[in-house]
Amino acid sequence: MAISELQIALIGAGAAGVALVWGYNVWQDRQHRKTADRIFKGGQGDALLAGEEAGAAPAAASLAEPGERQEPHFGESADAEAPDAGDAAAASAAELPAQEEESSPLPEECADPVADCVLRLTAAEPLPAPAVQAMQTAWAAELSKPLHWLVRDEAENVWRRVDAQDTGRYREWAAALQLVDRRGPVSDGELARFFDGVQHVARQTAATVELPTRGEIVMRAASLDEFCAAVDIQFVLHVVEATGGVFAGTKLRGVAEAAGLALEGDGVFRARDEAGRELFTVANLGAERLEAESIKSLATHGLTLSMDVPRVSDGAVAFDRMLAIARQLAAALGGVLVDAQRAPLSDAMIDAIRAKTAELQQRMRDGGIAPGSTRALRLFS
């Protein structure tokens, strides 16, 4: 059948339309890439995802029980170099006015250049701390992430956190909102409330405040959360009664304390290092907590030993100690050591857990988050 001129024209118009849509998509993709490059390679200095690309296999899923995060999987990029958190701090410092370069740095335990969005206010005259605290009370209570207010003590040239009991007057203030924890990243709405609240304080006190681009902070928080989710693993071992019976609570407590564990107020035995930092926990496999009084009459089918990989400074040492305690408990109580799927723990599984722990902690270091550091304890809380 012959094709009319009208049909030819319609076919040509359709092809042109397809070409225009394709060309627009290509242009839009390039614009998005340029925006991302500015965010992750520019002044923000927060390229925590460098060296991580989607598509890697799950991390020892049969051996690990991850936290509440939905974990994306990343593979290694041979030519990508992960910056550390010091780059972010250096970039932020470079943008400060000249008079602020001489002041002391903000304390990272509550105003971290990676973990927090920090807004600074400067007033012409010192502001009374009680007045500023009162101005922020209503909107600060609506935030789900930790918020810290800091002041610079001009006499000592030191930044410090200000609390509700502070009655001093200060010219320089900083408000730091944590961007990420195990519940996820800060939302755009929550960040907007934070920005609006700090601006309100600035207007009420005639102080000056400089705000970063909110969209870039939201993207930075999402990327940081994605990175944290990829390394957020808790390795779990179980000691169960060998014949399917139960362990007596009285014997359990004696064996656990002899192994150097301490029963704490939340009903969990903990192993701690010399500085008091948690290495791993030992809890009841069932729902009942290991209370100091009730443990005397407790009969349990097993124990759960758990190590939180991002929150321990040396994962290999912590895991080896947890494994040794697990074997000690199994031998003393007449139990067997199994993994999270209740399969007997083989040497190959032990080697896999140890290797995965080392890999995850190295990825954290490469991303500027030292395992077990203050930054890590805040992000993985």
Side-chain angles (χ1 to χ4, degrees), residues 119-125 127 131-132 135-136 139 149 171 173 175 194-211:
L119 304 181
R120 294 199 185 194
L121 299 91
T122 304
E125 299 293 332
L127 305 176
V132 175
M135 291 175 197
Q136 59 90 47
W139 58 265
W149 284 89
R171 214 171 49 82
W173 292 73
F194 173 56
F195 277 33
D196 291 344
V198 173
Q199 283 183 300
H200 174 72
V201 172
R203 286 193 298 269
Q204 293 290 100
T205 59
T208 60
V209 58
E210 292 186 11
L211 300 178

PDB file of all heavy atoms in Angstrom, residues 119-125 127 131-132 135-136 139 149 171 173 175 194-211:
ATOM      1  N   LEU A 119      25.564  26.189  61.716  1.00  0.00           N
ATOM      2  CA  LEU A 119      25.244  27.566  61.365  1.00  0.00           C
ATOM      3  C   LEU A 119      25.811  28.486  62.442  1.00  0.00           C
ATOM      4  O   LEU A 119      25.586  28.245  63.631  1.00  0.00           O
ATOM      5  CB  LEU A 119      23.731  27.767  61.264  1.00  0.00           C
ATOM      6  CG  LEU A 119      22.978  26.841  60.302  1.00  0.00           C
ATOM      7  CD1 LEU A 119      21.499  27.178  60.300  1.00  0.00           C
ATOM      8  CD2 LEU A 119      23.550  26.918  58.896  1.00  0.00           C
ATOM      9  N   ARG A 120      26.526  29.519  62.018  1.00  0.00           N
ATOM     10  CA  ARG A 120      27.148  30.440  62.976  1.00  0.00           C
ATOM     11  C   ARG A 120      26.424  31.781  62.993  1.00  0.00           C
ATOM     12  O   ARG A 120      26.023  32.291  61.948  1.00  0.00           O
ATOM     13  CB  ARG A 120      28.615  30.660  62.622  1.00  0.00           C
ATOM     14  CG  ARG A 120      29.481  29.428  62.770  1.00  0.00           C
ATOM     15  CD  ARG A 120      30.925  29.837  62.848  1.00  0.00           C
ATOM     16  NE  ARG A 120      31.817  28.685  62.876  1.00  0.00           N
ATOM     17  CZ  ARG A 120      33.107  28.757  63.209  1.00  0.00           C
ATOM     18  NH1 ARG A 120      33.623  29.916  63.541  1.00  0.00           N
ATOM     19  NH2 ARG A 120      33.851  27.684  63.208  1.00  0.00           N
ATOM     20  N   LEU A 121      26.266  32.322  64.170  1.00  0.00           N
ATOM     21  CA  LEU A 121      25.664  33.639  64.357  1.00  0.00           C
ATOM     22  C   LEU A 121      26.682  34.552  65.039  1.00  0.00           C
ATOM     23  O   LEU A 121      27.385  34.126  65.960  1.00  0.00           O
ATOM     24  CB  LEU A 121      24.408  33.558  65.237  1.00  0.00           C
ATOM     25  CG  LEU A 121      23.236  32.711  64.756  1.00  0.00           C
ATOM     26  CD1 LEU A 121      23.364  31.290  65.286  1.00  0.00           C
ATOM     27  CD2 LEU A 121      21.917  33.334  65.222  1.00  0.00           C
ATOM     28  N   THR A 122      26.712  35.800  64.596  1.00  0.00           N
ATOM     29  CA  THR A 122      27.585  36.798  65.213  1.00  0.00           C
ATOM     30  C   THR A 122      26.763  38.037  65.531  1.00  0.00           C
ATOM     31  O   THR A 122      26.089  38.583  64.650  1.00  0.00           O
ATOM     32  CB  THR A 122      28.752  37.169  64.284  1.00  0.00           C
ATOM     33  OG1 THR A 122      29.476  35.984  63.933  1.00  0.00           O
ATOM     34  CG2 THR A 122      29.690  38.150  64.977  1.00  0.00           C
ATOM     35  N   ALA A 123      26.794  38.458  66.775  1.00  0.00           N
ATOM     36  CA  ALA A 123      26.028  39.622  67.219  1.00  0.00           C
ATOM     37  C   ALA A 123      26.964  40.790  67.498  1.00  0.00           C
ATOM     38  O   ALA A 123      28.130  40.605  67.851  1.00  0.00           O
ATOM     39  CB  ALA A 123      25.236  39.282  68.480  1.00  0.00           C
ATOM     40  N   ALA A 124      26.430  41.994  67.338  1.00  0.00           N
ATOM     41  CA  ALA A 124      27.242  43.186  67.613  1.00  0.00           C
ATOM     42  C   ALA A 124      27.545  43.312  69.092  1.00  0.00           C
ATOM     43  O   ALA A 124      28.634  43.739  69.489  1.00  0.00           O
ATOM     44  CB  ALA A 124      26.513  44.436  67.110  1.00  0.00           C
ATOM     45  N   GLU A 125      26.573  42.923  69.916  1.00  0.00           N
ATOM     46  CA  GLU A 125      26.743  42.955  71.361  1.00  0.00           C
ATOM     47  C   GLU A 125      26.522  41.550  71.933  1.00  0.00           C
ATOM     48  O   GLU A 125      25.773  40.749  71.366  1.00  0.00           O
ATOM     49  CB  GLU A 125      25.746  43.928  72.004  1.00  0.00           C
ATOM     50  CG  GLU A 125      25.895  45.365  71.539  1.00  0.00           C
ATOM     51  CD  GLU A 125      27.218  45.978  71.991  1.00  0.00           C
ATOM     52  OE1 GLU A 125      27.735  45.524  73.043  1.00  0.00           O
ATOM     53  OE2 GLU A 125      27.721  46.884  71.312  1.00  0.00           O
ATOM     54  N   LEU A 127      25.092  38.388  73.663  1.00  0.00           N
ATOM     55  CA  LEU A 127      23.701  37.984  73.870  1.00  0.00           C
ATOM     56  C   LEU A 127      23.594  37.124  75.125  1.00  0.00           C
ATOM     57  O   LEU A 127      24.427  36.236  75.348  1.00  0.00           O
ATOM     58  CB  LEU A 127      23.194  37.177  72.675  1.00  0.00           C
ATOM     59  CG  LEU A 127      23.321  37.825  71.296  1.00  0.00           C
ATOM     60  CD1 LEU A 127      22.863  36.835  70.224  1.00  0.00           C
ATOM     61  CD2 LEU A 127      22.525  39.115  71.239  1.00  0.00           C
ATOM     62  N   ALA A 131      18.231  34.049  77.127  1.00  0.00           N
ATOM     63  CA  ALA A 131      17.334  34.606  76.116  1.00  0.00           C
ATOM     64  C   ALA A 131      17.401  33.795  74.823  1.00  0.00           C
ATOM     65  O   ALA A 131      16.373  33.476  74.218  1.00  0.00           O
ATOM     66  CB  ALA A 131      17.681  36.070  75.851  1.00  0.00           C
ATOM     67  N   VAL A 132      18.606  33.450  74.386  1.00  0.00           N
ATOM     68  CA  VAL A 132      18.758  32.647  73.162  1.00  0.00           C
ATOM     69  C   VAL A 132      18.138  31.265  73.346  1.00  0.00           C
ATOM     70  O   VAL A 132      17.461  30.741  72.458  1.00  0.00           O
ATOM     71  CB  VAL A 132      20.244  32.537  72.776  1.00  0.00           C
ATOM     72  CG1 VAL A 132      20.420  31.606  71.583  1.00  0.00           C
ATOM     73  CG2 VAL A 132      20.817  33.919  72.462  1.00  0.00           C
ATOM     74  N   MET A 135      14.426  31.470  72.963  1.00  0.00           N
ATOM     75  CA  MET A 135      13.994  31.705  71.579  1.00  0.00           C
ATOM     76  C   MET A 135      13.949  30.426  70.749  1.00  0.00           C
ATOM     77  O   MET A 135      13.163  30.304  69.813  1.00  0.00           O
ATOM     78  CB  MET A 135      14.940  32.703  70.901  1.00  0.00           C
ATOM     79  CG  MET A 135      14.864  34.110  71.433  1.00  0.00           C
ATOM     80  SD  MET A 135      16.131  35.142  70.650  1.00  0.00           S
ATOM     81  CE  MET A 135      16.165  36.536  71.774  1.00  0.00           C
ATOM     82  N   GLN A 136      14.809  29.460  71.080  1.00  0.00           N
ATOM     83  CA  GLN A 136      14.896  28.259  70.249  1.00  0.00           C
ATOM     84  C   GLN A 136      14.124  27.068  70.816  1.00  0.00           C
ATOM     85  O   GLN A 136      14.035  26.030  70.177  1.00  0.00           O
ATOM     86  CB  GLN A 136      16.364  27.866  70.032  1.00  0.00           C
ATOM     87  CG  GLN A 136      17.138  27.573  71.308  1.00  0.00           C
ATOM     88  CD  GLN A 136      17.083  26.124  71.738  1.00  0.00           C
ATOM     89  OE1 GLN A 136      17.272  25.225  70.934  1.00  0.00           O
ATOM     90  NE2 GLN A 136      16.828  25.904  73.026  1.00  0.00           N
ATOM     91  N   TRP A 139      10.837  25.536  68.517  1.00  0.00           N
ATOM     92  CA  TRP A 139      11.116  24.842  67.258  1.00  0.00           C
ATOM     93  C   TRP A 139      12.163  23.748  67.424  1.00  0.00           C
ATOM     94  O   TRP A 139      12.135  22.745  66.703  1.00  0.00           O
ATOM     95  CB  TRP A 139      11.530  25.824  66.166  1.00  0.00           C
ATOM     96  CG  TRP A 139      12.733  26.670  66.458  1.00  0.00           C
ATOM     97  CD1 TRP A 139      12.748  27.935  66.963  1.00  0.00           C
ATOM     98  CD2 TRP A 139      14.113  26.314  66.238  1.00  0.00           C
ATOM     99  NE1 TRP A 139      14.046  28.395  67.081  1.00  0.00           N
ATOM    100  CE2 TRP A 139      14.903  27.429  66.642  1.00  0.00           C
ATOM    101  CE3 TRP A 139      14.753  25.191  65.740  1.00  0.00           C
ATOM    102  CZ2 TRP A 139      16.287  27.433  66.565  1.00  0.00           C
ATOM    103  CZ3 TRP A 139      16.144  25.183  65.654  1.00  0.00           C
ATOM    104  CH2 TRP A 139      16.900  26.297  66.068  1.00  0.00           C
ATOM    105  N   TRP A 149      23.889  23.803  70.802  1.00  0.00           N
ATOM    106  CA  TRP A 149      24.253  25.215  70.722  1.00  0.00           C
ATOM    107  C   TRP A 149      25.614  25.399  71.369  1.00  0.00           C
ATOM    108  O   TRP A 149      25.892  24.840  72.431  1.00  0.00           O
ATOM    109  CB  TRP A 149      23.221  26.084  71.430  1.00  0.00           C
ATOM    110  CG  TRP A 149      21.953  26.264  70.659  1.00  0.00           C
ATOM    111  CD1 TRP A 149      20.849  25.470  70.696  1.00  0.00           C
ATOM    112  CD2 TRP A 149      21.660  27.296  69.708  1.00  0.00           C
ATOM    113  NE1 TRP A 149      19.887  25.930  69.835  1.00  0.00           N
ATOM    114  CE2 TRP A 149      20.354  27.069  69.222  1.00  0.00           C
ATOM    115  CE3 TRP A 149      22.376  28.402  69.238  1.00  0.00           C
ATOM    116  CZ2 TRP A 149      19.752  27.891  68.276  1.00  0.00           C
ATOM    117  CZ3 TRP A 149      21.776  29.235  68.299  1.00  0.00           C
ATOM    118  CH2 TRP A 149      20.476  28.976  67.826  1.00  0.00           C
ATOM    119  N   ARG A 171      29.006  36.789  72.186  1.00  0.00           N
ATOM    120  CA  ARG A 171      28.809  37.449  70.892  1.00  0.00           C
ATOM    121  C   ARG A 171      28.751  36.450  69.742  1.00  0.00           C
ATOM    122  O   ARG A 171      28.028  36.647  68.768  1.00  0.00           O
ATOM    123  CB  ARG A 171      29.953  38.456  70.659  1.00  0.00           C
ATOM    124  CG  ARG A 171      29.565  39.701  69.905  1.00  0.00           C
ATOM    125  CD  ARG A 171      30.700  40.710  69.912  1.00  0.00           C
ATOM    126  NE  ARG A 171      31.967  40.097  69.538  1.00  0.00           N
ATOM    127  CZ  ARG A 171      32.331  39.888  68.269  1.00  0.00           C
ATOM    128  NH1 ARG A 171      31.522  40.227  67.282  1.00  0.00           N
ATOM    129  NH2 ARG A 171      33.499  39.340  67.992  1.00  0.00           N
ATOM    130  N   TRP A 173      27.985  32.630  68.336  1.00  0.00           N
ATOM    131  CA  TRP A 173      27.191  31.441  68.604  1.00  0.00           C
ATOM    132  C   TRP A 173      27.271  30.495  67.408  1.00  0.00           C
ATOM    133  O   TRP A 173      27.531  30.911  66.276  1.00  0.00           O
ATOM    134  CB  TRP A 173      25.718  31.807  68.841  1.00  0.00           C
ATOM    135  CG  TRP A 173      25.472  32.568  70.106  1.00  0.00           C
ATOM    136  CD1 TRP A 173      25.788  33.872  70.361  1.00  0.00           C
ATOM    137  CD2 TRP A 173      24.845  32.070  71.285  1.00  0.00           C
ATOM    138  NE1 TRP A 173      25.407  34.223  71.630  1.00  0.00           N
ATOM    139  CE2 TRP A 173      24.813  33.139  72.221  1.00  0.00           C
ATOM    140  CE3 TRP A 173      24.296  30.845  71.649  1.00  0.00           C
ATOM    141  CZ2 TRP A 173      24.262  33.005  73.486  1.00  0.00           C
ATOM    142  CZ3 TRP A 173      23.733  30.707  72.912  1.00  0.00           C
ATOM    143  CH2 TRP A 173      23.726  31.765  73.812  1.00  0.00           C
ATOM    144  N   ALA A 175      25.007  26.876  65.969  1.00  0.00           N
ATOM    145  CA  ALA A 175      23.971  25.854  66.135  1.00  0.00           C
ATOM    146  C   ALA A 175      24.329  24.690  65.222  1.00  0.00           C
ATOM    147  O   ALA A 175      24.528  24.878  64.019  1.00  0.00           O
ATOM    148  CB  ALA A 175      22.593  26.406  65.787  1.00  0.00           C
ATOM    149  N   PHE A 194      15.011  23.924  60.976  1.00  0.00           N
ATOM    150  CA  PHE A 194      16.273  24.326  61.610  1.00  0.00           C
ATOM    151  C   PHE A 194      16.745  25.672  61.053  1.00  0.00           C
ATOM    152  O   PHE A 194      17.079  26.596  61.817  1.00  0.00           O
ATOM    153  CB  PHE A 194      17.320  23.235  61.379  1.00  0.00           C
ATOM    154  CG  PHE A 194      18.713  23.576  61.820  1.00  0.00           C
ATOM    155  CD1 PHE A 194      18.971  23.971  63.124  1.00  0.00           C
ATOM    156  CD2 PHE A 194      19.778  23.493  60.921  1.00  0.00           C
ATOM    157  CE1 PHE A 194      20.265  24.274  63.536  1.00  0.00           C
ATOM    158  CE2 PHE A 194      21.070  23.792  61.323  1.00  0.00           C
ATOM    159  CZ  PHE A 194      21.313  24.190  62.630  1.00  0.00           C
ATOM    160  N   PHE A 195      16.764  25.814  59.728  1.00  0.00           N
ATOM    161  CA  PHE A 195      17.202  27.060  59.103  1.00  0.00           C
ATOM    162  C   PHE A 195      16.295  28.214  59.536  1.00  0.00           C
ATOM    163  O   PHE A 195      16.775  29.300  59.903  1.00  0.00           O
ATOM    164  CB  PHE A 195      17.181  26.926  57.576  1.00  0.00           C
ATOM    165  CG  PHE A 195      18.407  26.276  57.005  1.00  0.00           C
ATOM    166  CD1 PHE A 195      19.094  25.292  57.696  1.00  0.00           C
ATOM    167  CD2 PHE A 195      18.881  26.641  55.756  1.00  0.00           C
ATOM    168  CE1 PHE A 195      20.222  24.689  57.162  1.00  0.00           C
ATOM    169  CE2 PHE A 195      20.012  26.057  55.210  1.00  0.00           C
ATOM    170  CZ  PHE A 195      20.685  25.073  55.912  1.00  0.00           C
ATOM    171  N   ASP A 196      14.981  27.993  59.467  1.00  0.00           N
ATOM    172  CA  ASP A 196      14.038  29.057  59.836  1.00  0.00           C
ATOM    173  C   ASP A 196      14.194  29.449  61.309  1.00  0.00           C
ATOM    174  O   ASP A 196      14.119  30.631  61.660  1.00  0.00           O
ATOM    175  CB  ASP A 196      12.603  28.601  59.578  1.00  0.00           C
ATOM    176  CG  ASP A 196      12.285  28.463  58.092  1.00  0.00           C
ATOM    177  OD1 ASP A 196      13.064  28.995  57.273  1.00  0.00           O
ATOM    178  OD2 ASP A 196      11.277  27.812  57.745  1.00  0.00           O
ATOM    179  N   GLY A 197      14.392  28.439  62.167  1.00  0.00           N
ATOM    180  CA  GLY A 197      14.542  28.723  63.587  1.00  0.00           C
ATOM    181  C   GLY A 197      15.778  29.544  63.896  1.00  0.00           C
ATOM    182  O   GLY A 197      15.722  30.504  64.679  1.00  0.00           O
ATOM    183  N   VAL A 198      16.905  29.184  63.273  1.00  0.00           N
ATOM    184  CA  VAL A 198      18.142  29.941  63.506  1.00  0.00           C
ATOM    185  C   VAL A 198      18.002  31.354  62.945  1.00  0.00           C
ATOM    186  O   VAL A 198      18.468  32.331  63.563  1.00  0.00           O
ATOM    187  CB  VAL A 198      19.347  29.206  62.888  1.00  0.00           C
ATOM    188  CG1 VAL A 198      20.604  30.071  62.967  1.00  0.00           C
ATOM    189  CG2 VAL A 198      19.583  27.871  63.607  1.00  0.00           C
ATOM    190  N   GLN A 199      17.356  31.478  61.771  1.00  0.00           N
ATOM    191  CA  GLN A 199      17.125  32.819  61.215  1.00  0.00           C
ATOM    192  C   GLN A 199      16.243  33.654  62.148  1.00  0.00           C
ATOM    193  O   GLN A 199      16.457  34.862  62.294  1.00  0.00           O
ATOM    194  CB  GLN A 199      16.465  32.699  59.841  1.00  0.00           C
ATOM    195  CG  GLN A 199      17.427  32.315  58.725  1.00  0.00           C
ATOM    196  CD  GLN A 199      16.728  32.275  57.379  1.00  0.00           C
ATOM    197  OE1 GLN A 199      15.788  31.517  57.173  1.00  0.00           O
ATOM    198  NE2 GLN A 199      17.181  33.108  56.465  1.00  0.00           N
ATOM    199  N   HIS A 200      15.263  33.027  62.765  1.00  0.00           N
ATOM    200  CA  HIS A 200      14.395  33.734  63.709  1.00  0.00           C
ATOM    201  C   HIS A 200      15.215  34.261  64.894  1.00  0.00           C
ATOM    202  O   HIS A 200      15.041  35.418  65.313  1.00  0.00           O
ATOM    203  CB  HIS A 200      13.300  32.797  64.206  1.00  0.00           C
ATOM    204  CG  HIS A 200      12.442  33.385  65.288  1.00  0.00           C
ATOM    205  ND1 HIS A 200      11.517  34.383  65.045  1.00  0.00           N
ATOM    206  CD2 HIS A 200      12.393  33.142  66.633  1.00  0.00           C
ATOM    207  CE1 HIS A 200      10.918  34.717  66.179  1.00  0.00           C
ATOM    208  NE2 HIS A 200      11.426  33.971  67.164  1.00  0.00           N
ATOM    209  N   VAL A 201      16.094  33.435  65.422  1.00  0.00           N
ATOM    210  CA  VAL A 201      16.965  33.868  66.521  1.00  0.00           C
ATOM    211  C   VAL A 201      17.831  35.044  66.064  1.00  0.00           C
ATOM    212  O   VAL A 201      18.004  36.030  66.798  1.00  0.00           O
ATOM    213  CB  VAL A 201      17.846  32.703  67.020  1.00  0.00           C
ATOM    214  CG1 VAL A 201      18.888  33.200  68.021  1.00  0.00           C
ATOM    215  CG2 VAL A 201      16.992  31.612  67.654  1.00  0.00           C
ATOM    216  N   ALA A 202      18.362  34.951  64.842  1.00  0.00           N
ATOM    217  CA  ALA A 202      19.216  36.023  64.326  1.00  0.00           C
ATOM    218  C   ALA A 202      18.430  37.326  64.203  1.00  0.00           C
ATOM    219  O   ALA A 202      18.932  38.408  64.554  1.00  0.00           O
ATOM    220  CB  ALA A 202      19.800  35.618  62.980  1.00  0.00           C
ATOM    221  N   ARG A 203      17.187  37.259  63.700  1.00  0.00           N
ATOM    222  CA  ARG A 203      16.372  38.477  63.566  1.00  0.00           C
ATOM    223  C   ARG A 203      16.043  39.072  64.930  1.00  0.00           C
ATOM    224  O   ARG A 203      16.069  40.285  65.116  1.00  0.00           O
ATOM    225  CB  ARG A 203      15.087  38.161  62.800  1.00  0.00           C
ATOM    226  CG  ARG A 203      15.285  37.946  61.309  1.00  0.00           C
ATOM    227  CD  ARG A 203      13.956  37.958  60.583  1.00  0.00           C
ATOM    228  NE  ARG A 203      13.068  36.887  61.032  1.00  0.00           N
ATOM    229  CZ  ARG A 203      13.018  35.680  60.475  1.00  0.00           C
ATOM    230  NH1 ARG A 203      13.812  35.399  59.440  1.00  0.00           N
ATOM    231  NH2 ARG A 203      12.182  34.767  60.928  1.00  0.00           N
ATOM    232  N   GLN A 204      15.720  38.214  65.906  1.00  0.00           N
ATOM    233  CA  GLN A 204      15.344  38.686  67.232  1.00  0.00           C
ATOM    234  C   GLN A 204      16.507  39.346  67.969  1.00  0.00           C
ATOM    235  O   GLN A 204      16.301  40.194  68.849  1.00  0.00           O
ATOM    236  CB  GLN A 204      14.819  37.523  68.074  1.00  0.00           C
ATOM    237  CG  GLN A 204      13.500  36.935  67.597  1.00  0.00           C
ATOM    238  CD  GLN A 204      12.335  37.875  67.816  1.00  0.00           C
ATOM    239  OE1 GLN A 204      11.896  38.557  66.894  1.00  0.00           O
ATOM    240  NE2 GLN A 204      11.837  37.935  69.037  1.00  0.00           N
ATOM    241  N   THR A 205      17.707  38.971  67.620  1.00  0.00           N
ATOM    242  CA  THR A 205      18.885  39.470  68.337  1.00  0.00           C
ATOM    243  C   THR A 205      19.749  40.403  67.491  1.00  0.00           C
ATOM    244  O   THR A 205      20.823  40.823  67.933  1.00  0.00           O
ATOM    245  CB  THR A 205      19.755  38.294  68.809  1.00  0.00           C
ATOM    246  OG1 THR A 205      20.168  37.519  67.659  1.00  0.00           O
ATOM    247  CG2 THR A 205      18.989  37.391  69.767  1.00  0.00           C
ATOM    248  N   ALA A 206      19.299  40.687  66.262  1.00  0.00           N
ATOM    249  CA  ALA A 206      20.068  41.524  65.334  1.00  0.00           C
ATOM    250  C   ALA A 206      21.445  40.935  65.046  1.00  0.00           C
ATOM    251  O   ALA A 206      22.422  41.665  64.839  1.00  0.00           O
ATOM    252  CB  ALA A 206      20.193  42.950  65.883  1.00  0.00           C
ATOM    253  N   ALA A 207      21.505  39.609  65.029  1.00  0.00           N
ATOM    254  CA  ALA A 207      22.759  38.922  64.716  1.00  0.00           C
ATOM    255  C   ALA A 207      22.805  38.592  63.229  1.00  0.00           C
ATOM    256  O   ALA A 207      21.774  38.548  62.552  1.00  0.00           O
ATOM    257  CB  ALA A 207      22.883  37.648  65.542  1.00  0.00           C
ATOM    258  N   THR A 208      23.993  38.368  62.725  1.00  0.00           N
ATOM    259  CA  THR A 208      24.156  37.959  61.326  1.00  0.00           C
ATOM    260  C   THR A 208      24.351  36.439  61.268  1.00  0.00           C
ATOM    261  O   THR A 208      24.976  35.853  62.151  1.00  0.00           O
ATOM    262  CB  THR A 208      25.369  38.653  60.681  1.00  0.00           C
ATOM    263  OG1 THR A 208      26.557  38.304  61.419  1.00  0.00           O
ATOM    264  CG2 THR A 208      25.187  40.155  60.695  1.00  0.00           C
ATOM    265  N   VAL A 209      23.816  35.825  60.221  1.00  0.00           N
ATOM    266  CA  VAL A 209      23.967  34.388  60.029  1.00  0.00           C
ATOM    267  C   VAL A 209      24.052  34.110  58.537  1.00  0.00           C
ATOM    268  O   VAL A 209      23.330  34.718  57.740  1.00  0.00           O
ATOM    269  CB  VAL A 209      22.791  33.610  60.668  1.00  0.00           C
ATOM    270  CG1 VAL A 209      21.453  34.039  60.091  1.00  0.00           C
ATOM    271  CG2 VAL A 209      22.982  32.103  60.491  1.00  0.00           C
ATOM    272  N   GLU A 210      24.956  33.234  58.160  1.00  0.00           N
ATOM    273  CA  GLU A 210      25.090  32.842  56.762  1.00  0.00           C
ATOM    274  C   GLU A 210      24.572  31.417  56.620  1.00  0.00           C
ATOM    275  O   GLU A 210      24.991  30.517  57.353  1.00  0.00           O
ATOM    276  CB  GLU A 210      26.546  32.933  56.310  1.00  0.00           C
ATOM    277  CG  GLU A 210      27.086  34.361  56.254  1.00  0.00           C
ATOM    278  CD  GLU A 210      28.489  34.416  55.666  1.00  0.00           C
ATOM    279  OE1 GLU A 210      28.942  33.379  55.128  1.00  0.00           O
ATOM    280  OE2 GLU A 210      29.114  35.479  55.748  1.00  0.00           O
ATOM    281  N   LEU A 211      23.657  31.226  55.654  1.00  0.00           N
ATOM    282  CA  LEU A 211      23.054  29.920  55.450  1.00  0.00           C
ATOM    283  C   LEU A 211      23.605  29.267  54.187  1.00  0.00           C
ATOM    284  O   LEU A 211      23.672  29.906  53.131  1.00  0.00           O
ATOM    285  CB  LEU A 211      21.533  30.048  55.321  1.00  0.00           C
ATOM    286  CG  LEU A 211      20.784  30.641  56.511  1.00  0.00           C
ATOM    287  CD1 LEU A 211      19.302  30.723  56.183  1.00  0.00           C
ATOM    288  CD2 LEU A 211      21.005  29.806  57.757  1.00  0.00           C
TER     289      LEU A 211
END
